[in-house]
Amino acid sequence: MHTILIKHFIKDYENTGDLRVRESYGTLGSITGIIVNFILAIAKYFAGIISGSISVTADAINNLSDAGSSVISLVGVKLSAKPADKGHPYGHGRVEYISALAVSFVVLLMGIELFKSSVDKIINPVPVKFNVLSLIILAVSILAKLWLGFFNKKLGEKINSAPMMAVMKDSFSDCLATGVALISIVVSAFSDISIDGYLGIIVAGFIFLAGFNILKETMADLLGKPADKEFTEMIEAKILSYDKIVGVHDMIIHDYGPGRKFASAHAEVSSLEDIMEIHDVIDLAERDIMNEFGLIISIHTDPIVTDDERIDSLKDMTNKIVKEISPEMSIHDFRVVDGPTHTNLIFDLIAPHKFHLSNEKIIQTIEDKLSKIDERYFVVITIEHAFN
């Protein structure tokens, strides 16, 4: 069913790198969500009225808010598809993250309102009436929401859409919420005990948790989370595949929304290489990465000494000491400056965030270990933290 809808409504559906195709995916997901949630809201509201269940009625309102969330997602998809302009040279892709943020606020608000209604139902209980039609409506609703969740998951994975993945999580949490409401109806058939208000609080909890998770993940996208590790390793491997490039470091990937990533990296090359040849290799690497990964990248060249056995030996020795402190650490841009009384080992060191040793302590530890090998060794270290 999912594939049939995609093929029928999206032209050139396999070309997900095209912004117009992305917009079509987003439009399809949003309109489907609006239709499904609006129908479920009407059906559940009717079921809530005839059963007198606050948890069912509240679940209907939740579906109505989901339809509103799909409207927000639709607006977000349309705005994010706008091309880059003078005021927004990196495009409008982050509008998708803002729309996902708006969805999270709507979901959180619904959770709070349902909690308040449920507390009122506990204080002022009203009997829930068992009704077979209500059971059928709720059961069908769960199936519909499961389908909608998997549909948005499929669309979201195809175009890497934050709003669609947010709708997917909200849909799955709605299944739990509707399941709780269904339990309320079933219990009413066998008992006079009023548990509707308490179950409503449980439903509110599911809704609130879904909203919080969407908010948390969307804020991470807006604030700038690390790039996907697998993607970063693929780019590094691609750069290293070119002749004359012997190392890569300081890669930074900026995310300006799905399909709009920019990067920079440092490529180590032998200091003996011809600068014009290296420039040609770097140009080729940048162009190939753009064509293969859709990533606009700027590569800076770092010339290093590669044919000096002594420097290589000192680098290996220093790297071993660094790895003893933490396997997560690495060094690059290693240079050696000899003097009449001492030898400076100059390099950059990448340390983990929130490491248990301060930068000063890291430098002191490395220097102490090196001085035990040769008291003439001094270090000049620039400590950095990885961006990925």
Side-chain angles (χ1 to χ4, degrees), residues 304-365:
I304 61 172
V305 177
T306 59
D307 60 343
D308 189 306
E309 291 185 3
R310 174 171 174 266
I311 292 178
D312 289 343
S313 176
L314 287 172
K315 181 180 179 180
D316 291 341
M317 176 187 67
T318 304
N319 191 53
K320 182 180 178 181
I321 289 172
V322 168
K323 293 295 184 182
E324 287 174 355
I325 298 173
S326 171
E328 297 182 69
M329 291 184 178
S330 62
I331 64 174
H332 59 84
D333 285 346
F334 188 88
R335 304 182 301 283
V336 177
V337 178
D338 290 304
T341 60
H342 63 276
T343 297
N344 281 337
L345 308 182
I346 307 169
F347 56 92
D348 294 347
L349 183 147
I350 299 178
H353 290 278
K354 295 183 179 180
F355 194 58
H356 67 280
L357 297 178
S358 65
N359 289 355
E360 293 76 14
K361 186 63 176 178
I362 292 173
I363 295 172
Q364 187 61 53
T365 302

Side-chain angles (χ1 to χ4, degrees), residues 220-253:
D221 287 321
L222 286 170
L223 293 174
K225 65 182 180 182
D228 180 73
K229 184 178 180 181
E230 183 179 352
F231 181 73
T232 303
E233 290 174 349
M234 288 171 61
I235 301 301
E236 290 180 347
K238 181 68 176 179
I239 295 173
L240 288 171
S241 69
Y242 292 88
D243 187 35
K244 303 182 185 303
I245 297 179
V246 297
V248 180
H249 60 85
D250 285 351
M251 179 178 290
I252 303 174
I253 298 178

Side-chain angles (χ1 to χ4, degrees), residues 140-387:
V140 171
S141 171
I142 291 174
L143 294 176
K145 272 297 197 174
L146 279 173
W147 178 85
L148 187 62
F150 283 114
F151 183 54
N152 276 277
K153 182 176 186 291
K154 188 177 184 69
L155 297 180
E157 288 175 344
K158 277 187 170 293
I159 64 171
N160 188 27
S161 170
M164 286 184 178
M165 299 308 287
V167 171
M168 177 267 292
K169 292 178 180 178
D170 185 40
S171 295
F172 289 155
S173 86
D174 284 351
C175 291
L176 295 173
T178 305
V180 172
L182 191 147
I183 291 172
S184 174
I185 300 291
V186 173
V187 170
S188 70
F190 303 99
S191 173
D192 293 331
I193 301 174
S194 179
I195 64 169
D196 192 41
Y198 298 99
L199 294 179
I201 289 177
I202 295 175
V203 173
F206 284 132
I207 295 172
F208 193 85
L209 182 61
F212 177 77
N213 287 333
I214 296 169
L215 174 64
K216 180 181 177 182
E217 293 185 14
T218 306
M219 286 301 295
D221 287 321
L222 286 170
L223 293 174
K225 65 182 180 182
D228 180 73
K229 184 178 180 181
E230 183 179 352
F231 181 73
T232 303
E233 290 174 349
M234 288 171 61
I235 301 301
E236 290 180 347
K238 181 68 176 179
I239 295 173
L240 288 171
S241 69
Y242 292 88
D243 187 35
K244 303 182 185 303
I245 297 179
V246 297
V248 180
H249 60 85
D250 285 351
M251 179 178 290
I252 303 174
I253 298 178
H254 303 278
D255 185 352
Y256 287 92
R260 300 169 180 83
K261 287 185 171 63
F262 300 80
S264 61
H266 288 230
E268 295 178 347
V269 298
S270 171
S271 58
L272 301 178
E273 295 288 355
D274 181 87
I275 189 170
M276 296 302 293
E277 289 186 19
I278 293 299
H279 184 271
D280 186 64
V281 171
I282 295 299
D283 276 352
L284 179 62
E286 291 174 341
R287 185 167 61 252
D288 288 348
I289 289 171
M290 175 60 196
N291 292 334
E292 185 174 341
F293 300 98
L295 178 69
I296 299 175
I297 187 169
S298 175
I299 302 176
H300 171 80
T301 55
D302 282 343
I304 61 172
V305 177
T306 59
D307 60 343
D308 189 306
E309 291 185 3
R310 174 171 174 266
I311 292 178
D312 289 343
S313 176
L314 287 172
K315 181 180 179 180
D316 291 341
M317 176 187 67
T318 304
N319 191 53
K320 182 180 178 181
I321 289 172
V322 168
K323 293 295 184 182
E324 287 174 355
I325 298 173
S326 171
E328 297 182 69
M329 291 184 178
S330 62
I331 64 174
H332 59 84
D333 285 346
F334 188 88
R335 304 182 301 283
V336 177
V337 178
D338 290 304
T341 60
H342 63 276
T343 297
N344 281 337
L345 308 182
I346 307 169
F347 56 92
D348 294 347
L349 183 147
I350 299 178
H353 290 278
K354 295 183 179 180
F355 194 58
H356 67 280
L357 297 178
S358 65
N359 289 355
E360 293 76 14
K361 186 63 176 178
I362 292 173
I363 295 172
Q364 187 61 53
T365 302
I366 295 172
E367 192 162 65
D368 289 345
K369 288 178 177 290
L370 284 170
S371 65
K372 290 179 181 179
I373 298 173
D374 190 328
E375 61 182 13
R376 293 173 301 169
Y377 291 152
F378 285 74
V379 295
V380 179
I381 304 174
T382 299
I383 295 184
E384 307 168 345
H385 298 286
F387 289 95

